[in-house]
Amino acid sequence: MSSNLGRHRGSFRLDVATAPNDGLNPSVILTVKGIIPSQYLFNVPEGFSRFVLEHKLRPGLGLRGVFLTGLGHECHGLPGLLMRLRGEGHGAFELFGPRDSVTYVEALTHVCFWKNPSVLVSEIDPKPSADAMYEDENIIVHPIVRDFHDSCFQESTYDKAMVLSQLSRLAPSPSSTEHCIFNRCYDRLENSRQGNIWARQKASSVCTKKTILGYLCVLKETKDMILVSGLLDSVDQIKELVQHPVVLQCSTDTSKRCLTVISSPFTKEEIMDAACLEEDGGLMSRDSTDTVVLVNTVASACRHPSILADHRLGFDSTAKVSSKLNAICPYMFPLPFAWKPLLKGERMNCNGHGADGKIFGPISQAIYVQSDDMQCVKYESSDSIDNLRDLKDNQRLRDSIDISALRCLQDETKTLMQASFKGQKTSNLSAAQVLKDRMLKRKRNSDTMAETSDDGGVFADMISGPCVTFFGTGSAEPSKYRGPSGILVDVPGMVGEAYVLLDCGEGTFGQMVRLYGFQGARDRISKLKLIWISHRHADHMSGLAELLSMRPKDSEEVLIQGPKSCIRWMLGLKKLVDFPAFRIEHVSDVDSSACKRMLKQIGGATIQCTPVRHCADAYAVSFVFSDSFKLVYSGDTEPCDNLVRDGEGADLLIHEATFEPEMIQDARRKRHSTLEEAVDVSHRMNASRTLLTHFSQRYPKFPTGFPQKGSKVGIAFDGFCLPLKLIDSFPKYMTFFQQMLTHRED
């Protein structure tokens, strides 16, 4: 996969990034060629920054504008984007969005801190005029506003000399309180102490929410037009977008080419009917030089499950790791949900996807469009499912692993999985769960590596009994192999009925979609009883907004316990976003009535929070469930005696291990633990078993310094599902996992 602009003869490039099977909604990146390419981003869904990092699409120093069509799924990836741009020294960008965009960005200062880039925010007027549109030396952007019926398309109002004079001062001066660029003037918000935010002067006071259907871009050099939709959720919105007065007025000039990107949960046929599209052309009112790209949203699976029958995954590096480790222990590394139809031999339904027609969809990876011929080319990534199937034929790998010892361990695992967990109450198992367990017994096959895939594979929804599942095991700078923190606990004694989520970094819900499918993920988050946030850093709580917005509207109220900054952020967002019911209180309020009610809902468990040594308002947590199973989670901390005391005798300790032993000075400076220190805490706590997590991006696969045989300690990976039936077995697998991940293929 390449994003080298030098390979393309045209003056612009368009990237559509989306991965429905990973819970990633669509976004569009427009890059205009130049000495320093200028970039424009349309919507920033959760998981965007990690996705574009892996696929080498991430916006660089040339990012000029971010255009949002809403304040929901369209922008929950803003914290990750801001952190990326901050790390790369980006100067400034303008952000356009609906009413309350300024308030939304201000609320982000409770999640992340940035001195740069400067974020200059404009709220779109529902009656756009020349003053409301965006213009620079490359493009003109018009918002397509719903329920507006007067023609408002404007040609350029800026002369070339004025435009060029603005280029040298895109970023505001650190000492200034007012900044103007291309006739758009902004005032610095003095009350935003944690961020560098500017608000557009004379912003409209009559803006309404959810009025932006999309944006129409006109490229000055080629006069080509690009129509980008928001996340449209009705066919009426699609029809209104393509028949909008601004679009129709542009369509009268048949010398201009138009590229349309429509993101919606509808089938190709429904969209064609609503938008008056033809197979061999574009809009009915235009000629065949138009190109239309149809992109499915994550919600497509709710309305049309067959739409997402395509098995491909966007986060391919994580899929490769999971498929390798699945070959060692499929019960700890269940396969991605999207592979279920493929491994069962079911016919794939790509719903009109093709590489030659003018209409494309659905796209489940990333596509780019060249400007010279307006043709779409699909990105092709390596297919991890082939990697899974080839493992059993890899003789060199088999020679490096003690197959006999592995088979004995797999036989032991099979026996344990067929037994009941000691704390599992039979009365809590539904008939469906019992049936799944029986089906699982018939499907098990542990003769050789990877042969479980021959009879349908093992998936997360086939594993019975309580589990602890890791969605993110990376640190503040996620890599393509490890995402931000998120751990789901299937409460012992209440299997499938009650869940606790420990931390919720960006992409947590997307990783749930990857493992359980869209419906399975929503079912689990609807049964969340507690979301527990350890401290104020973005990599531990920035996924809350997306996860809450994805909960079914009729879900029972969920309790969120977190630091003060999390409370301020969520209460601020609650005024802007229509979340299902939740209650939020400080992480230390373990004696509150809400907390006591929650503990009853999870079977009469007890909870204890311990202040730890990281940042202000940082805590660890200990649970003792109804079956006396004790689970301890450290959050982020350097070695802490209080945690050792409160976690004494833990059945399972989950402890951060950010750095390798040799980086002790870095660990002290950033108040984290080394792997060696985390193991020492485990020994002093007398923990029965310990899983290490929160690894620096320096260790993308298997961290260095891990203790060898005889240890009670294991390494967690993204997608690692630990059935508590196997709590005594997982350390035995670590040698095999390490051999698998350090093996070099031919």
Side-chain angles (χ1 to χ4, degrees), residues 70-106:
L71 298 180
H73 306 303
E74 302 90 342
C75 63
H76 289 159
L78 270 176
L81 176 65
L82 285 169
M83 294 300 95
R84 283 286 176 193
L85 297 178
R86 180 187 69 177
E88 295 170 358
H90 196 286
F93 66 87
E94 294 184 80
L95 184 146
F96 291 78
R99 180 185 177 183
D100 295 326
S101 293
V102 173
T103 305
Y104 187 95
V105 176
E106 279 191 288

Side-chain angles (χ1 to χ4, degrees), residues 362-381:
I363 305 296
S364 60
Q365 291 264 0
I367 62 118
Y368 69 83
V369 181
Q370 299 183 73
S371 62
D372 52 350
D373 56 4
M374 297 289 269
Q375 291 298 302
C376 298
V377 183
K378 224 179 60 59
Y379 281 129
E380 293 293 346
S381 62

Side-chain angles (χ1 to χ4, degrees), residues 261-335:
V261 180
I262 298 178
S263 301
S264 78
F266 302 103
T267 64
K268 171 182 169 182
E269 291 73 21
E270 289 173 320
I271 295 174
M272 289 177 62
D273 182 62
C276 299
L277 299 175
E278 294 180 332
E279 282 281 1
D280 58 351
L283 301 178
M284 287 286 286
S285 57
R286 298 184 48 76
D287 62 25
S288 60
T289 62
D290 292 342
T291 301
V292 179
V293 180
L294 307 183
V295 187
N296 289 126
T297 61
V298 176
S300 303
C302 181
R303 195 171 182 279
H304 295 287
S306 62
I307 282 183
L308 299 187
D310 193 331
H311 70 274
R312 283 164 297 187
L313 299 167
F315 295 104
D316 192 58
S317 297
T318 305
K320 289 179 180 178
V321 171
S322 294
S323 64
K324 287 182 177 181
L325 299 184
N326 171 273
I328 299 294
C329 184
Y331 301 108
M332 293 183 189
F333 288 91
L335 298 174

Side-chain angles (χ1 to χ4, degrees), residues 189-496:
L189 299 183
E190 296 298 334
N191 58 340
S192 298
R193 295 175 298 172
Q194 301 294 319
N196 189 346
I197 306 172
W198 301 66
R200 180 83 168 267
Q201 292 179 359
K202 299 179 181 178
S204 172
S205 61
V206 294
C207 297
T208 57
K209 298 179 182 178
K210 300 180 180 178
T211 58
I212 304 174
L213 296 172
Y215 291 92
L216 179 67
C217 309
V218 180
L219 285 89
K220 290 185 174 181
E221 180 180 346
T222 64
K223 303 302 181 183
D224 291 329
M225 294 178 294
I226 302 170
L227 177 61
V228 180
S229 83
L231 304 181
L232 305 181
D233 55 14
S234 73
V235 291
D236 289 340
Q237 289 182 353
I238 298 173
K239 189 172 183 179
E240 189 170 349
L241 173 75
V242 299
Q243 295 183 1
H244 195 276
V246 174
V247 177
L248 294 179
Q249 185 167 346
C250 296
S251 302
T252 58
D253 186 351
T254 57
S255 65
K256 297 178 180 178
R257 299 177 299 176
C258 184
L259 169 67
T260 303
V261 180
I262 298 178
S263 301
S264 78
F266 302 103
T267 64
K268 171 182 169 182
E269 291 73 21
E270 289 173 320
I271 295 174
M272 289 177 62
D273 182 62
C276 299
L277 299 175
E278 294 180 332
E279 282 281 1
D280 58 351
L283 301 178
M284 287 286 286
S285 57
R286 298 184 48 76
D287 62 25
S288 60
T289 62
D290 292 342
T291 301
V292 179
V293 180
L294 307 183
V295 187
N296 289 126
T297 61
V298 176
S300 303
C302 181
R303 195 171 182 279
H304 295 287
S306 62
I307 282 183
L308 299 187
D310 193 331
H311 70 274
R312 283 164 297 187
L313 299 167
F315 295 104
D316 192 58
S317 297
T318 305
K320 289 179 180 178
V321 171
S322 294
S323 64
K324 287 182 177 181
L325 299 184
N326 171 273
I328 299 294
C329 184
Y331 301 108
M332 293 183 189
F333 288 91
L335 298 174
F337 184 85
W339 290 0
K340 184 176 283 191
L342 191 68
L343 292 179
K344 289 185 176 181
E346 296 178 10
R347 183 178 179 181
M348 304 306 297
N349 176 14
C350 290
N351 196 38
H353 172 59
D356 300 320
K358 288 287 186 179
I359 298 178
F360 296 77
I363 305 296
S364 60
Q365 291 264 0
I367 62 118
Y368 69 83
V369 181
Q370 299 183 73
S371 62
D372 52 350
D373 56 4
M374 297 289 269
Q375 291 298 302
C376 298
V377 183
K378 224 179 60 59
Y379 281 129
E380 293 293 346
S381 62
S382 60
D383 204 337
S384 296
I385 194 69
D386 292 334
N387 176 279
L388 173 68
R389 286 170 164 167
D390 292 343
L391 283 173
K392 61 183 178 182
D393 299 323
N394 191 325
Q395 187 61 46
R396 184 176 174 183
L397 172 60
R398 295 169 67 85
D399 291 341
S400 67
I401 293 180
D402 187 340
I403 298 298
S404 177
L406 177 59
R407 286 179 180 173
C408 290
L409 184 56
Q410 290 175 333
D411 287 340
E412 176 186 317
T413 299
K414 176 182 177 181
T415 301
L416 289 170
M417 288 302 295
Q418 291 174 336
S420 295
F421 178 63
K422 64 179 182 179
Q424 182 175 314
K425 297 179 181 179
T426 306
S427 59
N428 285 325
L429 288 176
S430 66
Q433 289 168 330
V434 173
L435 179 60
K436 284 181 181 178
D437 191 59
R438 291 175 179 171
M439 293 174 63
L440 181 58
K441 292 178 182 179
R442 292 197 298 267
K443 289 179 178 291
R444 291 190 180 105
N445 182 344
S446 59
D447 289 341
T448 58
M449 291 191 303
E451 287 188 1
T452 50
S453 63
D454 292 341
D455 61 359
V458 174
F459 297 88
D461 59 357
M462 299 166 60
I463 298 175
S464 63
C467 297
V468 177
T469 305
F470 292 78
F471 300 118
T473 57
S475 58
E477 289 288 336
S479 70
K480 62 183 181 180
Y481 293 101
R482 294 183 183 272
S485 298
I487 304 168
L488 185 69
V489 180
D490 193 349
V491 176
M494 302 190 68
V495 178

Side-chain angles (χ1 to χ4, degrees), residues 385-630:
I385 194 69
D386 292 334
N387 176 279
L388 173 68
R389 286 170 164 167
D390 292 343
L391 283 173
K392 61 183 178 182
D393 299 323
N394 191 325
Q395 187 61 46
R396 184 176 174 183
L397 172 60
R398 295 169 67 85
D399 291 341
S400 67
I401 293 180
D402 187 340
I403 298 298
S404 177
L406 177 59
R407 286 179 180 173
C408 290
L409 184 56
Q410 290 175 333
D411 287 340
E412 176 186 317
T413 299
K414 176 182 177 181
T415 301
L416 289 170
M417 288 302 295
Q418 291 174 336
S420 295
F421 178 63
K422 64 179 182 179
Q424 182 175 314
K425 297 179 181 179
T426 306
S427 59
N428 285 325
L429 288 176
S430 66
Q433 289 168 330
V434 173
L435 179 60
K436 284 181 181 178
D437 191 59
R438 291 175 179 171
M439 293 174 63
L440 181 58
K441 292 178 182 179
R442 292 197 298 267
K443 289 179 178 291
R444 291 190 180 105
N445 182 344
S446 59
D447 289 341
T448 58
M449 291 191 303
E451 287 188 1
T452 50
S453 63
D454 292 341
D455 61 359
V458 174
F459 297 88
D461 59 357
M462 299 166 60
I463 298 175
S464 63
C467 297
V468 177
T469 305
F470 292 78
F471 300 118
T473 57
S475 58
E477 289 288 336
S479 70
K480 62 183 181 180
Y481 293 101
R482 294 183 183 272
S485 298
I487 304 168
L488 185 69
V489 180
D490 193 349
V491 176
M494 302 190 68
V495 178
E497 297 178 4
Y499 296 90
V500 171
L501 182 65
L502 304 176
D503 280 332
C504 187
E506 182 177 339
T508 295
F509 179 75
Q511 291 301 302
M512 288 185 178
V513 172
R514 178 193 195 90
L515 198 58
Y516 308 121
F518 182 76
Q519 296 289 15
R522 293 193 82 202
D523 177 66
R524 283 163 176 80
I525 63 176
S526 72
K527 297 176 181 177
L528 279 172
K529 306 304 179 185
L530 172 66
I531 302 174
W532 189 88
I533 306 298
S534 61
H535 63 287
R536 68 189 186 191
H537 290 158
D539 59 312
H540 291 258
M541 67 176 183
S542 61
L544 268 175
E546 180 72 1
L547 184 137
L548 289 176
S549 64
M550 281 296 189
R551 297 185 80 225
K553 295 296 183 183
D554 58 353
S555 299
E556 293 184 5
E557 181 180 83
V558 62
L559 174 64
I560 304 173
Q561 289 189 320
K564 296 174 184 177
S565 58
C566 180
I567 296 173
R568 290 192 289 264
W569 178 46
M570 292 311 303
L571 292 180
L573 283 189
K574 193 174 183 179
K575 300 175 183 178
L576 309 178
V577 183
D578 184 22
F579 292 125
F582 72 87
R583 182 184 182 88
I584 189 165
E585 58 187 28
H586 192 261
V587 67
S588 64
D589 291 340
V590 295
D591 294 323
S592 70
S593 58
C595 186
K596 292 178 180 178
R597 184 167 56 252
M598 177 274 299
L599 292 173
K600 288 183 179 179
Q601 291 175 334
I602 62 174
T606 62
I607 183 173
Q608 181 177 12
C609 292
T610 304
V612 291
R613 302 170 59 183
H614 183 53
C615 61
D617 218 14
Y619 288 80
V621 66
S622 303
F623 292 94
V624 179
F625 296 105
S626 58
D627 57 356
S628 299
F629 184 88
K630 186 172 184 177

